[in-house]
Amino acid sequence: MKKYILAALGLMFSVQIMAQAGLKIGDTAPNFSAKDNSGKTVDLKELLRSHKSVVLFFYRGQWCPYCNKQMQHIQDSLQLLTDKKAYVIGVTPETSENITKTVAKTKAAYSIVQDKGYAIMKSYGVNYVMDEATVAKYKGYGLDMTKANGNADNVLPVPATYVINSAGKIAFVHFDKDYSKRAAVKDILAVL
């Protein structure tokens, strides 16, 4: 009986951890300040003073076709987003060299931030560590996560998207652990 109780508690604990991942609509967006791919400092508080909102999304890396597709959609709609006075920021753990490859693939003209120590990903609750089997599988496909991200932590973000309003509150959330499912630009625009 004791085994069953411990197993049930373990299951409840793991479900609780899953339920706590990511921020929710109405939460205060954690502030951050970082240099983007063009060397510009992007500070969330400052951006919200000069823009109606910030569209913040997390992507895994230039090696991810789903990320590239999402980023191309955002780029294709960038004028629509900026017309609504939104500032767009992509956040990734990948190296600056790989961010350059991402920009070349997607033509991204918005800010992209390398989150070296995962501070932004952690504050938004999107970081996770890849299991060793997945790391080995990716390596078998020719993707070395250590080279892609410049470290051996194997940390990636859930590819979440947040819209942060001028009051610094989360107004839109797309958080899905299935990396193939991404926020649609039309849904983002509807919130703006």
Side-chain angles (χ1 to χ4, degrees):
M1 182 67 162
K2 191 174 185 180
K3 278 186 191 178
Y4 294 115
I5 292 171
L6 289 174
L9 286 173
L11 182 60
M12 285 186 337
F13 183 67
S14 65
V15 169
Q16 183 179 11
I17 289 171
M18 289 174 61
Q20 291 176 353
L23 299 178
K24 307 293 181 230
I25 291 175
D27 287 350
T28 298
N31 191 42
F32 62 88
S33 183
K35 293 262 188 227
D36 71 7
N37 55 311
S38 65
K40 176 183 171 186
T41 298
V42 289
D43 181 278
L44 182 62
K45 280 185 183 176
E46 291 299 317
L47 290 171
L48 291 174
R49 286 187 184 124
S50 57
H51 294 80
K52 186 178 172 187
S53 56
V54 169
V55 176
L56 176 68
F57 72 95
F58 297 85
Y59 77 93
R60 300 172 344 134
Q62 59 87 22
W63 49 269
C64 173
Y66 298 100
C67 296
N68 292 333
K69 185 176 179 182
Q70 176 190 27
M71 293 177 78
Q72 286 170 334
H73 287 168
I74 290 171
Q75 179 57 42
D76 292 345
S77 302
L78 189 58
Q79 187 65 50
L80 295 171
L81 295 164
T82 57
D83 283 351
K84 292 192 177 253
K85 305 211 179 350
Y87 190 91
V88 178
I89 306 169
V91 175
T92 181
E94 73 178 340
T95 64
S96 58
E97 294 82 15
N98 282 324
I99 289 173
T100 301
K101 291 178 185 177
T102 297
V103 171
K105 286 180 180 180
T106 64
K107 309 296 185 241
Y110 43 82
S111 289
I112 300 175
V113 171
Q114 180 189 14
D115 192 10
K116 286 184 187 177
Y118 321 119
I120 302 169
M121 292 189 309
K122 287 176 182 177
S123 68
Y124 281 79
V126 301
N127 62 300
Y128 70 95
V129 178
M130 295 173 62
D131 62 73
E132 289 303 317
T134 304
V135 172
K137 184 168 96 175
Y138 280 22
K139 202 168 215 172
Y141 296 146
L143 174 62
D144 183 339
M145 293 305 296
T146 301
K147 288 180 183 173
N149 293 348
N151 62 60
D153 298 339
N154 299 320
V155 173
L156 288 178
V158 171
T161 301
Y162 296 99
V163 173
I164 304 160
N165 66 25
S166 59
K169 299 289 186 183
I170 304 292
F172 171 86
V173 174
H174 177 87
F175 184 98
D176 194 321
K177 291 181 183 182
D178 180 347
Y179 60 82
S180 68
K181 296 180 181 172
R182 305 300 174 102
V185 173
K186 68 178 177 61
D187 294 336
I188 296 168
L189 286 166
V191 173
L192 299 176

